[in-house]
Amino acid sequence: MSGRSKRSRGSTRGKRESESQGSLGRVKRERDREREAEAPSSRGSPVRVKREVEPVSAREAPAPIVPAVRVKREREADEDSEPEREVRAKNGRVDSEDRRSRHCPYLDTINRGLKSHAYIHSVQFSHHVFLNLHTLKFYCLPDNYEIIDSSLEDITYVLKPTFTKQQIANLDKQAKLSRAYDGTTYLPGIVGLNNIKANDYANAVLQALSNVPPLRNYFLEEDNYKNIKRTPGDIMFLLVQRFGELMRKLWNPRNFKAHVSPHEMLQAVVLCSKKTFQITKQGDGVDFLSWFLNALHSALGGTKKKKKTIVTDVFQGSMRIFTKKLPHPDLPAEEKEQLLHNDEYQETMVESTFMYLTLDLPTAPLYKDEKEQLIIPQVPLFNILAKFNGITEKEYKTYKENFLKRFQLTKLPPYLIFCIKRFTKNNFFVEKNPTIVNFPITGRANGMNYKTCR
């Protein structure tokens, strides 16, 4: 084929493209002619046009203000190639007049298989769709335009679930099962937390707290705490933010799976506790509960006596503690009798608040029964609650002194937390008391409500 006939065919093709894009006018036709002149003249060589937009980083969204540009995708010219597509991007958003970017050609590169992590982390090799985790906007790189597609809304909702006041009010009125992406069904709020390595002690506490309705309702609505004033550089507020995010994910009715990862929450715990509680090292659940409730109360702006928060409104009660010092047991009886008349050995009383009550179990038996099996004793909950009736006394020993104490509850919180002390530590090992505590699952007894979170 002669060079003249080739130029003629190229001119005809350029004319067809110009006519199909009449709205672009004379400027477009002049650009096409300039590109034809610069194209190689060898037979069958493809035509390539340099992209007009510089690609952005995978971690950065387009700049807030950019000039209007035209992004053209060019493919190798052959007989089976499709017509070139144009996408108009303005200020990082798709122009309302051109909606072709809604049908992104790279969406099919996302692997949405059952074992895929593409929903929750940045796109892997050969994928072109990126999600900004702060703005929750999707971008196609390196073409540099925002993707607006309704099929992606389920991903953004899983990352940041939202609840209306009406939805929160109806959480306990309906028990509707939800279906996860992998086909399993689950009840929102009753889902598992991943055990990353040795964080099951924290998972148990977090799951129990997520089923306390007043606390749950407070953290499901971010407006309740997002405007709390805090000092610059305060990292403790991170606990509030991460706990709220975890609460909303646990109660999300549109989860992809029937379990949730507490990774971000636990990272905040490690940071704010200065590595006292870790993901890779087993911890004590009662110690974690005590620290977490007090840290959460402080991060919400609460104080020890005056300013209250949702934490103290739900869990804080009050009691009177009566304390009486005892003479040393090795002293003679007459000297003990004299010391008991001194002011130092008279009973004193102080008012104190509490977030939970520690219950002591009776000593486990040391001998086997007649069938050569260890006896596992059982005790009713009301028996070990007698510690707080204001009458029962218990001796507490320190390195130098001994005290008798009795406790009298003066105010019960809406939700009372019991911590049953099962482990005792001696010079050789830690021993667990296997005593079974019997208590009503539901119901009302002596003015107290009982509820278990499984």
Side-chain angles (χ1 to χ4, degrees), residues 270-302:
V270 174
L271 178 64
C272 295
S273 69
K274 298 180 181 180
K275 298 185 178 180
T276 302
F277 303 100
Q278 301 184 33
I279 300 175
T280 58
K281 186 179 179 181
Q282 195 69 40
D284 184 86
V286 178
D287 292 341
F288 173 71
L289 172 67
S290 177
W291 172 85
F292 185 72
L293 290 181
N294 285 282
L296 204 61
H297 169 67
S298 178
L300 288 170

Short mmCIF file of all heavy atoms in Angstrom, two decimals, residues 270-302:
data_model
loop_
_atom_site.label_atom_id
_atom_site.label_comp_id
_atom_site.label_asym_id
_atom_site.label_seq_id
_atom_site.Cartn_x
_atom_site.Cartn_y
_atom_site.Cartn_z
N VAL A 270 -3.12 -0.98 73.48
CA VAL A 270 -1.67 -1.13 73.69
C VAL A 270 -1.00 0.23 73.82
O VAL A 270 -0.16 0.45 74.69
CB VAL A 270 -1.04 -1.93 72.53
CG1 VAL A 270 0.47 -1.96 72.66
CG2 VAL A 270 -1.59 -3.36 72.50
N LEU A 271 -1.40 1.17 72.95
CA LEU A 271 -0.80 2.50 72.98
C LEU A 271 -1.17 3.28 74.24
O LEU A 271 -0.30 3.85 74.92
CB LEU A 271 -1.23 3.28 71.73
CG LEU A 271 -0.74 4.73 71.61
CD1 LEU A 271 0.78 4.76 71.49
CD2 LEU A 271 -1.39 5.41 70.41
N CYS A 272 -2.45 3.30 74.57
CA CYS A 272 -2.92 4.11 75.70
C CYS A 272 -2.55 3.52 77.05
O CYS A 272 -2.43 4.24 78.04
CB CYS A 272 -4.43 4.31 75.60
SG CYS A 272 -4.97 5.25 74.16
N SER A 273 -2.38 2.20 77.12
CA SER A 273 -1.97 1.58 78.38
C SER A 273 -0.47 1.48 78.52
O SER A 273 0.03 0.91 79.50
CB SER A 273 -2.58 0.17 78.49
OG SER A 273 -1.99 -0.71 77.54
N LYS A 274 0.25 2.03 77.54
CA LYS A 274 1.72 1.98 77.52
C LYS A 274 2.22 0.54 77.63
O LYS A 274 3.11 0.22 78.41
CB LYS A 274 2.30 2.84 78.64
CG LYS A 274 1.93 4.32 78.51
CD LYS A 274 2.52 5.15 79.64
CE LYS A 274 2.13 6.61 79.49
NZ LYS A 274 2.68 7.45 80.57
N LYS A 275 1.57 -0.33 76.85
CA LYS A 275 1.93 -1.75 76.72
C LYS A 275 1.67 -2.56 77.98
O LYS A 275 2.20 -3.67 78.12
CB LYS A 275 3.38 -1.91 76.26
CG LYS A 275 3.66 -1.32 74.89
CD LYS A 275 5.08 -1.63 74.44
CE LYS A 275 5.33 -1.07 73.04
NZ LYS A 275 6.70 -1.36 72.58
N THR A 276 0.87 -2.02 78.90
CA THR A 276 0.47 -2.84 80.04
C THR A 276 -0.38 -4.01 79.59
O THR A 276 -0.26 -5.13 80.10
CB THR A 276 -0.30 -1.98 81.07
OG1 THR A 276 0.53 -0.90 81.49
CG2 THR A 276 -0.71 -2.81 82.27
N PHE A 277 -1.26 -3.74 78.61
CA PHE A 277 -2.09 -4.79 78.01
C PHE A 277 -1.68 -4.91 76.55
O PHE A 277 -1.63 -3.92 75.83
CB PHE A 277 -3.57 -4.44 78.14
CG PHE A 277 -4.01 -4.21 79.56
CD1 PHE A 277 -4.15 -2.94 80.06
CD2 PHE A 277 -4.26 -5.29 80.38
CE1 PHE A 277 -4.54 -2.72 81.37
CE2 PHE A 277 -4.66 -5.10 81.70
CZ PHE A 277 -4.79 -3.81 82.20
N GLN A 278 -1.41 -6.15 76.13
CA GLN A 278 -0.88 -6.37 74.80
C GLN A 278 -1.69 -7.41 74.05
O GLN A 278 -2.50 -8.14 74.64
CB GLN A 278 0.59 -6.81 74.88
CG GLN A 278 1.50 -5.79 75.56
CD GLN A 278 2.95 -6.22 75.52
OE1 GLN A 278 3.40 -6.85 74.58
NE2 GLN A 278 3.69 -5.85 76.56
N ILE A 279 -1.45 -7.46 72.74
CA ILE A 279 -2.13 -8.43 71.88
C ILE A 279 -1.42 -9.79 71.93
O ILE A 279 -2.05 -10.83 71.85
CB ILE A 279 -2.18 -7.93 70.43
CG1 ILE A 279 -2.92 -6.60 70.36
CG2 ILE A 279 -2.85 -8.94 69.51
CD1 ILE A 279 -2.91 -5.96 68.98
N THR A 280 -0.11 -9.76 72.10
CA THR A 280 0.69 -10.98 72.01
C THR A 280 0.97 -11.62 73.36
O THR A 280 1.66 -12.63 73.43
CB THR A 280 2.03 -10.66 71.33
OG1 THR A 280 2.71 -9.64 72.08
CG2 THR A 280 1.81 -10.17 69.91
N LYS A 281 0.44 -11.03 74.44
CA LYS A 281 0.70 -11.54 75.78
C LYS A 281 -0.59 -11.63 76.56
O LYS A 281 -1.37 -10.69 76.58
CB LYS A 281 1.70 -10.63 76.50
CG LYS A 281 2.15 -11.14 77.85
CD LYS A 281 3.16 -10.19 78.47
CE LYS A 281 3.61 -10.66 79.84
NZ LYS A 281 4.57 -9.73 80.46
N GLN A 282 -0.81 -12.79 77.20
CA GLN A 282 -2.04 -12.99 77.96
C GLN A 282 -2.13 -12.02 79.13
O GLN A 282 -1.14 -11.74 79.80
CB GLN A 282 -2.11 -14.43 78.48
CG GLN A 282 -3.49 -14.85 78.94
CD GLN A 282 -4.46 -15.00 77.79
OE1 GLN A 282 -4.13 -15.48 76.74
NE2 GLN A 282 -5.69 -14.56 77.99
N GLY A 283 -3.34 -11.48 79.34
CA GLY A 283 -3.56 -10.54 80.44
C GLY A 283 -4.71 -10.99 81.32
O GLY A 283 -5.40 -11.97 81.03
N ASP A 284 -4.92 -10.26 82.39
CA ASP A 284 -6.01 -10.56 83.34
C ASP A 284 -7.24 -9.75 82.95
O ASP A 284 -7.17 -8.53 82.81
CB ASP A 284 -5.57 -10.22 84.76
CG ASP A 284 -6.63 -10.61 85.77
OD1 ASP A 284 -6.63 -11.77 86.20
OD2 ASP A 284 -7.46 -9.75 86.11
N GLY A 285 -8.37 -10.44 82.79
CA GLY A 285 -9.59 -9.79 82.35
C GLY A 285 -10.12 -8.76 83.32
O GLY A 285 -10.60 -7.69 82.93
N VAL A 286 -10.00 -9.02 84.64
CA VAL A 286 -10.49 -8.08 85.65
C VAL A 286 -9.63 -6.82 85.66
O VAL A 286 -10.13 -5.70 85.75
CB VAL A 286 -10.51 -8.74 87.04
CG1 VAL A 286 -10.97 -7.74 88.09
CG2 VAL A 286 -11.44 -9.95 87.03
N ASP A 287 -8.31 -7.00 85.56
CA ASP A 287 -7.42 -5.84 85.51
C ASP A 287 -7.71 -4.99 84.28
O ASP A 287 -7.72 -3.75 84.34
CB ASP A 287 -5.96 -6.29 85.50
CG ASP A 287 -5.55 -6.93 86.81
OD1 ASP A 287 -6.25 -6.71 87.82
OD2 ASP A 287 -4.54 -7.65 86.82
N PHE A 288 -7.96 -5.66 83.15
CA PHE A 288 -8.26 -4.92 81.92
C PHE A 288 -9.58 -4.18 82.04
O PHE A 288 -9.70 -3.03 81.62
CB PHE A 288 -8.29 -5.88 80.73
CG PHE A 288 -8.74 -5.22 79.46
CD1 PHE A 288 -7.93 -4.32 78.79
CD2 PHE A 288 -10.00 -5.50 78.93
CE1 PHE A 288 -8.35 -3.70 77.62
CE2 PHE A 288 -10.43 -4.90 77.77
CZ PHE A 288 -9.60 -3.99 77.11
N LEU A 289 -10.60 -4.83 82.62
CA LEU A 289 -11.90 -4.19 82.78
C LEU A 289 -11.79 -2.95 83.66
O LEU A 289 -12.34 -1.89 83.33
CB LEU A 289 -12.89 -5.18 83.42
CG LEU A 289 -14.25 -4.61 83.82
CD1 LEU A 289 -15.04 -4.20 82.60
CD2 LEU A 289 -15.03 -5.62 84.66
N SER A 290 -11.08 -3.06 84.77
CA SER A 290 -10.92 -1.93 85.67
C SER A 290 -10.21 -0.77 84.98
O SER A 290 -10.65 0.39 85.07
CB SER A 290 -10.14 -2.36 86.92
OG SER A 290 -9.92 -1.27 87.77
N TRP A 291 -9.10 -1.07 84.29
CA TRP A 291 -8.36 0.00 83.60
C TRP A 291 -9.20 0.61 82.48
O TRP A 291 -9.24 1.84 82.32
CB TRP A 291 -7.06 -0.57 83.02
CG TRP A 291 -6.35 0.43 82.15
CD1 TRP A 291 -5.50 1.40 82.56
CD2 TRP A 291 -6.48 0.55 80.73
NE1 TRP A 291 -5.06 2.13 81.47
CE2 TRP A 291 -5.64 1.64 80.34
CE3 TRP A 291 -7.19 -0.14 79.75
CZ2 TRP A 291 -5.51 2.04 79.01
CZ3 TRP A 291 -7.06 0.26 78.43
CH2 TRP A 291 -6.24 1.34 78.07
N PHE A 292 -9.89 -0.22 81.71
CA PHE A 292 -10.61 0.28 80.53
C PHE A 292 -11.76 1.19 80.93
O PHE A 292 -11.96 2.26 80.33
CB PHE A 292 -11.12 -0.90 79.71
CG PHE A 292 -11.78 -0.50 78.42
CD1 PHE A 292 -11.04 -0.01 77.37
CD2 PHE A 292 -13.16 -0.59 78.28
CE1 PHE A 292 -11.64 0.37 76.18
CE2 PHE A 292 -13.77 -0.21 77.11
CZ PHE A 292 -13.00 0.27 76.05
N LEU A 293 -12.53 0.80 81.94
CA LEU A 293 -13.66 1.64 82.35
C LEU A 293 -13.18 2.99 82.89
O LEU A 293 -13.76 4.03 82.57
CB LEU A 293 -14.48 0.91 83.41
CG LEU A 293 -15.29 -0.31 82.94
CD1 LEU A 293 -16.07 -0.91 84.10
CD2 LEU A 293 -16.24 0.05 81.80
N ASN A 294 -12.14 2.98 83.67
CA ASN A 294 -11.63 4.24 84.22
C ASN A 294 -10.99 5.10 83.13
O ASN A 294 -11.15 6.33 83.12
CB ASN A 294 -10.61 3.97 85.34
CG ASN A 294 -11.27 3.53 86.63
OD1 ASN A 294 -11.82 4.33 87.37
ND2 ASN A 294 -11.24 2.23 86.90
N ALA A 295 -10.27 4.47 82.19
CA ALA A 295 -9.65 5.22 81.10
C ALA A 295 -10.71 5.79 80.17
O ALA A 295 -10.59 6.93 79.69
CB ALA A 295 -8.70 4.31 80.31
N LEU A 296 -11.78 5.03 79.93
CA LEU A 296 -12.86 5.50 79.07
C LEU A 296 -13.58 6.68 79.73
O LEU A 296 -13.92 7.67 79.07
CB LEU A 296 -13.84 4.35 78.81
CG LEU A 296 -14.70 4.42 77.54
CD1 LEU A 296 -13.84 4.44 76.30
CD2 LEU A 296 -15.65 3.23 77.50
N HIS A 297 -13.81 6.57 81.02
CA HIS A 297 -14.45 7.66 81.76
C HIS A 297 -13.61 8.94 81.71
O HIS A 297 -14.13 10.04 81.48
CB HIS A 297 -14.66 7.22 83.21
CG HIS A 297 -15.08 8.31 84.14
ND1 HIS A 297 -16.30 8.96 84.06
CD2 HIS A 297 -14.41 8.90 85.18
CE1 HIS A 297 -16.38 9.87 85.01
NE2 HIS A 297 -15.25 9.86 85.70
N SER A 298 -12.31 8.80 81.91
CA SER A 298 -11.43 9.97 81.88
C SER A 298 -11.35 10.57 80.48
O SER A 298 -11.33 11.79 80.32
CB SER A 298 -10.04 9.55 82.36
OG SER A 298 -9.14 10.64 82.30
N ALA A 299 -11.28 9.72 79.44
CA ALA A 299 -11.18 10.21 78.07
C ALA A 299 -12.44 10.95 77.64
O ALA A 299 -12.40 11.84 76.79
CB ALA A 299 -10.90 9.06 77.12
N LEU A 300 -13.59 10.60 78.23
CA LEU A 300 -14.85 11.28 77.91
C LEU A 300 -15.00 12.59 78.68
O LEU A 300 -16.04 13.25 78.55
CB LEU A 300 -16.03 10.36 78.23
CG LEU A 300 -16.23 9.18 77.27
CD1 LEU A 300 -17.27 8.21 77.83
CD2 LEU A 300 -16.65 9.66 75.89
N GLY A 301 -13.99 12.95 79.46
CA GLY A 301 -14.03 14.21 80.19
C GLY A 301 -14.52 14.09 81.61
O GLY A 301 -14.75 15.11 82.27
N GLY A 302 -14.67 12.87 82.11
CA GLY A 302 -15.15 12.68 83.47
C GLY A 302 -14.06 12.89 84.50
O GLY A 302 -12.87 12.78 84.21
#
